[in-house]
C-alpha cells in the first residue's frame, strides 16, 4: 500500500532553495559539470528527483505544494520584457524572425525523424509526432493538449507517453545545451562584446546579464519598486488572458508568461519614452536570475522520473536519436545561420533547451553560458520571444501538415 507525504508551501520553497545549493555545491566540486556549463537546477533537481523516484518504488510518494512556481516563471519573463527597450529591439529585432525560420526548419526535421523512425520500428507514424515536436518543441502542455486530440480523432491513448517524452526532453535539453554552445565558443574563440568578469554594470548600466556571478548594486527601495512592476506584469497577464479568452481567440493558446513578457516590454518602453521613471536594470537582473533559478529548481525537483521507465524501448531509441539530431543541428546549422558569433553560440545553446524541452530550459542553458563567458542580451531577447510564442504557431502549422499527409 502506497503512502503519500505532502510537503507544504513553505517547506517546498525551502527544498527548492536546497536544490539550488546542492547544485551549486556539486558543480563546484565536479570539474566536468563546470566545463560544460550544466545548470545547477538540473544537477540538484535531478538528484532530488532520483531520491523521490526511489521512494516511489518503495511505496512512498512525496508531493510538493508549488503554487508559486508559475508566478516565478511569469516574473522571470516579465524581466525579459523589462530588458527589451526600443533600442535593443531595433538592433536585433530582425534576428527574431531569422531564428524563427531556423527553429521552424528544425521542427520539420524533428517530426521527419520521429515519423520515419516510428514507421521503421513498426509503430503508428502518428506516435512519431508525439516523440517529435508535440512534446519536444511543445513541452508538457502541448503534449497534454494533443493527447486529447489523438484520443478523440484517432483512438490513440498517448497521454502517459506524452508526459514521459516531455520529461525526457526537459532533462536532455538542459544537459546538451551547455556542452554544444561551450564547444562552439571554445573552438572559434568567441567572446562577448561586453567582455567577461563580474562588473558589467559599472560600464554598461542598462545591461541585463542574467548572470548569477554579476555584482548587482541594488537597494531595498529599488528592489521593492521593481518587484511591484513585476507583480503588475504577472497580475496583468492573467487579466489580459481572460480578455483574450472572452473575445474567442483563445485558440492561439498563448501561455500566461507571454503576456507578462509583453506587458514588461510595454512598461519599460513607456518609461523610456516619457522619462517619468527609470527602471533599475541591475535590480531587474537580480530578480530575474532569482526567479528563474527558483522556478527551475521547483520544476526539476517535482519531475516524476518513473514515467520514463514506462517508455517502451523503441520510444527511447527515437528520443535518443532526437537528442543527437538536435545537438548536431544546433552546432552546425543554428550557429552558422545565426551569424557564427558569440551571440549565435549562446542562441544555439538556447535552441537545445526549447528544441528538446521548454523555453525556461533554454533560458537556463543561456544563463549558465553567460555566467561563465559574458553577457549576451541579444540571445535573451531572441530566444524567449521565439520559444515562448512564435514557435507554437509554427509548430501547429507543421503538425497539421504532417497529419494531413499521414492520414
Amino acid at each position: 500500500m502506497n503512502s503519500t507525504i505532502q510537503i507544504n508551501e513553505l517547506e517546498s520553497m525551502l527544498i527548492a532553495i536546497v536544490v539550488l545549493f546542492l547544485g551549486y555545491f556539486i558543480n563546484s566540486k565536479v570539474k566536468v559539470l563546470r566545463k560544460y556549463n550544466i545548470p545547477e537546477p538540473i544537477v540538484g533537481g535531478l538528484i532530488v528527483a532520483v531520491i523521490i523516484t526511489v521512494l516511489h518504488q518503495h511505496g512512498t510518494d512525496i508531493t510538493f505544494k508549488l503554487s508559486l512556481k508559475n508566478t516565478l516563471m511569469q516574473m522571470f519573463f516579465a524581466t525579459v520584457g523589462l530588458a527589451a527597450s526600443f533600442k535593443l529591439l531595433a538592433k536585433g529585432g530582425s534576428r527574431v524572425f531569422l531564428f524563427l525560420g531556423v527553429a521552424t526548419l528544425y521542427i520539420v526535421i524533428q517530426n521527419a525523424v520521429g515519423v520515419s523512425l516510428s514507421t521503421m520500428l513498426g509503430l503508428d507514424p502518428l506516435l512519431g509526432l508525439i516523440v517529435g515536436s508535440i512534446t519536444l518543441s511543445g513541452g508538457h502542455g502541448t503534449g497534454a493538449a494533443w493527447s486529447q486530440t489523438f484520443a478523440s480523432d484517432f483512438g490513440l491513448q498517448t497521454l502517459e507517453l506524452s508526459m514521459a517524452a516531455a520529461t525526457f526532453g526537459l532533462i536532455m535539453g538542459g544537459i546538451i545545451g551547455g556542452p554544444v554552445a561551450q564547444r562552439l565558443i571554445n573552438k572559434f574563440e568567441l567572446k562577448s562584446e561586453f567582455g567577461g568578469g563580474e562588473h558589467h554594470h559599472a560600464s554598461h548600466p542598462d545591461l541585463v546579464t542574467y548572470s548569477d556571478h554579476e555584482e548587482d548594486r541594488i537597494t531595498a527601495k529599488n528592489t521593492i519598486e521593481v518587484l511591484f512592476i513585476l507583480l503588475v506584469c504577472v497580475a496583468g497577464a492573467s487579466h489580459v488572458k481572460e480578455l483574450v479568452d472572452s473575445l474567442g481567440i483563445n485558440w492561439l493558446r498563448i501561455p500566461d508568461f507571454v503576456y507578462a513578457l509583453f506587458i514588461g516590454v510595454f512598461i519599460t518602453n513607456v518609461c523610456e519614452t516619457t522619462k517619468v521613471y527609470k527602471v533599475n536594470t541591475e535590480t531587474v537582473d537580480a530578480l530575474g536570475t532569482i526567479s528563474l533559478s527558483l522556478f527551475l529548481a521547483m520544476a526539476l525537483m517535482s519531475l516524476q522520473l518513473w514515467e520514463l521507465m514506462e517508455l517502451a524501448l523503441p520510444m527511447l531509441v527515437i528520443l535518443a536519436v532526437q537528442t543527437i539530431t538536435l545537438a548536431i543541428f544546433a552546432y552546425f546549422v543554428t550557429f552558422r545561420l545565426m551569424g557564427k558569433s558569440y551571440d549565435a553560440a549562446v542562441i544555439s545553446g538556447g535552441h537545445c533547451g526549447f528544441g528538446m524541452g521548454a523555453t525556461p530550459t533554454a533560458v537556463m542553458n543561456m544563463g549558465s553560458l553567460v555566467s561563465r563567458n559574458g553577457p549576451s542580451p541579444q540571445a535573451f531577447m531572441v530566444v524567449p520571444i521565439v520559444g515562448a510564442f512564435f514557435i507554437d504557431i509554427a509548430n501547429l502549422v507543421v503538425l497539421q501538415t504532417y497529419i494531413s499527409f499521414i492520414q
Side-chain angles (χ1 to χ4, degrees):
M1 181 178 177
N2 281 19
S3 61
T4 301
I5 300 174
Q6 295 184 328
I7 310 297
N8 66 32
E9 190 77 51
L10 177 60
E11 291 170 349
S12 296
M13 175 66 81
L14 287 172
I15 293 172
I17 296 173
V18 170
V19 164
L20 282 178
F21 288 160
L22 182 62
Y24 291 140
F25 175 77
I26 294 175
N27 275 23
S28 70
K29 301 298 181 182
V30 182
K31 184 178 179 180
V32 67
L33 297 178
R34 297 195 306 275
K35 179 180 179 181
Y36 292 109
N37 296 299
I38 305 301
E40 288 86 357
I42 285 280
V43 177
L46 282 181
I47 291 174
V48 173
V50 167
I51 293 172
I52 291 173
T53 299
V54 171
L55 292 173
H56 171 79
Q57 298 301 318
H58 287 81
T60 301
D61 288 326
I62 296 180
T63 61
F64 298 104
K65 192 172 182 180
L66 300 170
S67 59
L68 284 176
K69 185 173 73 170
N70 190 53
T71 299
L72 288 166
M73 179 175 66
Q74 291 185 59
M75 285 176 61
F76 166 74
F77 281 101
T79 67
V80 174
L82 289 175
S85 67
F86 284 139
K87 290 188 296 183
L88 184 59
L89 292 171
K91 183 178 179 181
S94 61
R95 299 183 73 79
V96 169
F97 298 101
L98 175 60
F99 183 55
L100 175 61
V102 172
T104 303
L105 170 63
Y106 182 70
I107 285 178
V108 175
I109 295 172
Q110 193 170 55
N111 285 322
V113 170
V115 171
S116 59
L117 287 178
S118 293
T119 304
M120 288 171 56
L121 295 169
L123 303 172
D124 191 317
L126 285 173
L127 294 178
L129 299 179
I130 293 291
V131 287
S133 71
I134 286 179
T135 60
L136 300 183
S137 290
H140 287 83
T142 303
W146 276 95
S147 292
Q148 296 179 16
T149 301
F150 275 38
S152 60
D153 294 358
F154 309 114
L156 291 174
Q157 301 300 323
T158 60
L159 180 59
E160 291 79 7
L161 172 62
S162 295
M163 295 302 98
T167 300
F168 180 94
L170 191 70
I171 295 169
M172 295 310 299
I175 290 175
I176 66 173
V180 166
Q182 193 62 51
R183 180 173 174 80
L184 288 168
I185 291 169
N186 294 341
K187 179 179 179 180
F188 294 100
E189 299 181 348
L190 303 172
K191 298 185 184 301
S192 168
E193 63 178 290
F194 302 97
E198 305 170 1
H199 305 280
H200 299 96
H201 289 145
S203 54
H204 301 90
D206 294 330
L207 182 66
V208 177
T209 66
Y210 294 112
S211 167
D212 54 12
H213 295 159
E214 188 67 50
E215 293 190 358
D216 295 307
R217 300 164 298 177
I218 63 178
T219 66
K221 181 175 180 291
N222 287 337
T223 302
I224 293 172
E225 289 173 351
V226 173
L227 181 59
F228 172 78
I229 295 171
L230 295 181
L231 293 179
V232 167
C233 293
V234 172
S238 64
H239 291 296
V240 173
K241 182 171 175 56
E242 289 176 4
L243 176 62
V244 170
D245 291 346
S246 68
L247 294 175
I249 53 177
N250 56 343
W251 55 269
L252 290 172
R253 293 177 181 171
I254 301 174
D256 290 350
F257 63 83
V258 176
Y259 295 119
L261 186 154
F262 285 121
I263 292 173
V265 172
F266 175 78
I267 290 174
T268 197
N269 285 289
V270 167
C271 290
E272 186 178 80
T273 303
T274 61
K275 302 187 185 305
V276 296
Y277 177 74
K278 178 75 168 67
V279 178
N280 186 279
T281 52
E282 294 187 49
T283 309
V284 170
D285 201 343
L287 291 179
T289 303
I290 292 169
S291 300
L292 178 64
S293 297
L294 287 174
F295 163 73
L296 290 167
M298 290 179 177
L300 268 294
M301 76 189 206
S302 57
L303 285 179
Q304 297 179 335
L305 294 182
W306 55 88
E307 291 180 344
L308 298 182
M309 301 176 187
E310 300 172 0
L311 280 177
L313 181 60
M315 293 301 174
L316 283 173
V317 170
I318 296 172
L319 289 169
V321 173
Q322 292 282 27
T323 304
I324 296 169
T325 303
L326 177 55
I328 293 172
F329 184 90
Y331 187 88
F332 289 104
V333 181
T334 304
F335 174 65
R336 282 162 174 76
L337 291 181
M338 293 307 298
K340 298 177 67 174
S341 62
Y342 173 74
D343 290 325
V346 177
I347 289 172
S348 298
H351 192 187
C352 289
F354 84 74
M356 282 296 292
T359 304
T361 310
V363 177
M364 175 181 64
N365 288 347
M366 297 191 299
S368 295
L369 289 163
V370 300
S371 290
R372 177 177 177 181
N373 301 287
S376 176
Q378 186 177 100
F380 276 90
M381 181 195 68
V382 169
V383 173
I385 290 177
V386 172
F389 176 56
F390 289 118
I391 200 63
D392 287 332
I393 299 174
N395 197 12
L396 178 63
V397 173
V398 172
L399 285 169
Q400 293 287 9
T401 304
Y402 266 94
I403 290 173
S404 66
F405 278 104
I406 291 174
Q407 293 300 303

